[in-house]
Amino acid sequence: MLYPLIRPFVFRLDAEPAHRLSLAALKLMPAGAPPKMDPILATQVAGLTFPNPVGLAAGYDKDGEVPAQMLALGFGFAEVGTLTPLPQPGNPRPRLFRLVEDRAVINRMGFNNGGQEAAMPRLAAVQGRGIIGINIGANKDAVDRIADYATGVARMAPLASYLTVNISSPNTPGLRALQDEAALTELLAAVRAALPEGGPPVFLKVAPDLEPADIEAIARLSLGQVDALIVSNTTISRPALASRFGGEAGGLSGAPLKGLAQQRMRDFAKATAGKIPLIGAGGIASAEDAYARIRAGASLIQIYSALVYEGPGLAQRINTGLAQLLRRDGFAHVADAVGVDLR
Ligand SMILES: Cc1cc2nc3c(=O)[nH]c(=O)nc-3n(C[C@H](O)[C@H](O)[C@H](O)COP(=O)(O)O)c2cc1C
């Protein structure tokens, strides 16, 4: 409720210091129990029970510093990372831009993070607090990228409610080539082999910049290998943008990504035909956006960029609005609305 008052001061800072300030403020917040949820929002995906379908997308809490605080803000799940096996500094600054006129963000952070080992004790300390996913990636300088994913899976599995294999960041050169059929086959085999017996579900996060043949191949290869697909990461495409930062290199997220991400959700829903659960991300900023993504096939949704513009109360506002929309349309559970617009 206070965020509209604070926002002008936050926006006077450059985007990256503002982000760090928000993390510091959250760390000071006592991470109490999550708020009570409307039971209409509870849902089961990949064997996990989510109190609500609104998650925090990867990249906000790369080092797993505040997942319990995010759950206390009303997120049904929080995804930390991307964490790479070794710490790495990421790209030179500036590398994060607020496109205020477009309600968007461009980032070319490049997987800046303190590394998996440093995050482990923090993540161990929040076990049992709720659903905390761990998003893993490869180091920029890795000689064998696939081996980095295997390392991440083996190391982080004991601490994760679920693991996300992120092969869709545009800011590590060549990373998205792992979405190609031959590379993806090898990667998924290595991930399965590295997963300990009884390990957590494995999600795969894809880019929105895919051709129909890529989508078909990813859906086919994921069957039996992946427990859910996250659709999608940021886009390297550039729709018309009003902000002076529109020409910056990197991944675009927020409002201008919404239409593309919604279309990719439909594409993947058709390609997977209900056999793999889908998680929608990209430009979701309201209960209406979340509801539309669910009706297009998403069992869960995630948000990041809209938090910059709407503030920390957004998850709870989306949850309240989503419950109303579901009741208005006669649904008893959020799962009953998944994909209804496709039928
Ligand atoms: C600053 C920033 C950093 C991000 N870092 C990551 C990351 O490390 N790993 C990842 O899988 N996605 C990352 N993302 C992508 C988001 O998780 C999300 O998929 C994307 O931003 C679309 O959602 P949005 O429009 O709600 O932001 C990042 C996004 C932003 C804006």
Side-chain angles (χ1 to χ4, degrees):
M1 255 153 55
L2 284 174
Y3 193 67
L5 299 175
I6 299 166
R7 206 180 81 158
F9 299 99
V10 176
F11 277 19
R12 238 178 261 169
L13 301 172
D14 284 339
E16 191 163 347
H19 171 244
R20 280 209 313 278
L21 181 70
S22 76
L23 280 175
L26 280 168
K27 273 203 234 171
L28 294 175
M29 199 180 110
K36 225 181 134 38
M37 281 298 148
D38 191 322
I40 200 170
L41 297 173
T43 191
Q44 290 222 349
V45 178
L48 301 170
T49 301
F50 294 76
N52 71 70
V54 180
L56 175 71
Y60 176 74
D61 186 9
K62 286 185 189 265
D63 284 306
E65 296 174 284
V66 293
Q69 285 83 344
M70 299 317 278
L71 296 172
L73 285 172
F75 283 99
F77 59 113
E79 187 168 316
V80 306
T82 294
L83 284 162
T84 55
L86 299 174
Q88 62 178 30
N91 288 320
R93 296 177 202 191
R95 55 190 180 177
L96 178 61
F97 305 89
R98 266 188 312 259
L99 282 65
V100 178
E101 295 85 349
D102 303 295
R103 293 233 150 200
V105 173
I106 289 178
N107 92 82
R108 51 170 179 270
M109 305 298 286
F111 288 170
N112 59 304
N113 76 109
Q116 288 162 359
E117 263 173 19
M120 287 173 78
R122 283 191 295 275
L123 293 168
V126 291
Q127 292 298 295
R129 292 295 195 94
I131 298 184
I132 299 174
I134 304 179
N135 179 308
I136 57 167
N139 279 111
K140 186 180 173 207
D141 298 333
V143 185
D144 182 350
R145 289 237 163 106
I146 290 180
D148 269 21
Y149 286 93
T151 299
V153 166
R155 222 184 240 168
M156 305 316 279
L159 296 169
S161 305
Y162 68 84
L163 288 166
T164 296
V165 174
N166 174 22
I167 50 171
S168 47
S169 166
N171 301 313
T172 297
L175 192 83
R176 287 168 306 141
L178 289 171
Q179 296 177 126
D180 297 346
E181 190 157 350
L184 186 57
T185 305
E186 198 189 325
L187 172 70
L188 292 179
V191 163
R192 292 317 311 184
L195 193 68
E197 184 79 30
V202 175
F203 300 172
L204 181 70
K205 185 165 179 181
V206 300
D209 310 308
L210 295 171
E211 301 298 324
D214 306 328
I215 294 168
E216 184 277 322
I218 291 170
R220 176 165 39 81
L221 297 176
S222 295
L223 251 187
Q225 302 277 70
V226 164
D227 299 286
L229 287 165
I230 304 182
V231 182
S232 69
N233 216 308
T234 57
T235 179
I236 55 168
S237 70
R238 288 292 183 272
L241 297 168
S243 160
R244 68 191 162 106
F245 297 122
E248 291 291 343
L252 172 70
S253 56
L257 173 58
K258 183 164 86 171
L260 179 62
Q262 176 81 2
Q263 181 57 48
R264 286 295 168 270
M265 177 52 61
R266 281 190 222 108
D267 297 341
F268 272 99
K270 282 187 195 126
T272 53
K275 293 186 191 121
I276 306 173
L278 302 173
I279 301 168
I284 295 171
S286 67
E288 287 75 14
D289 295 342
Y291 187 47
R293 201 65 54 95
I294 289 166
R295 292 184 62 113
S299 292
L300 302 166
I301 63 110
Q302 293 182 321
I303 51 181
Y304 182 171
S305 299
L307 283 176
V308 174
Y309 297 101
E310 307 290 339
L314 182 60
Q316 270 300 61
R317 286 199 296 280
I318 292 182
N319 278 322
T320 306
L322 184 58
Q324 284 167 358
L325 291 166
L326 290 166
R327 286 215 169 77
R328 181 196 71 188
D329 294 346
F331 295 111
H333 302 286
V334 62
D336 301 335
V338 174
V340 287
D341 284 349
L342 301 165
R343 284 171 213 144

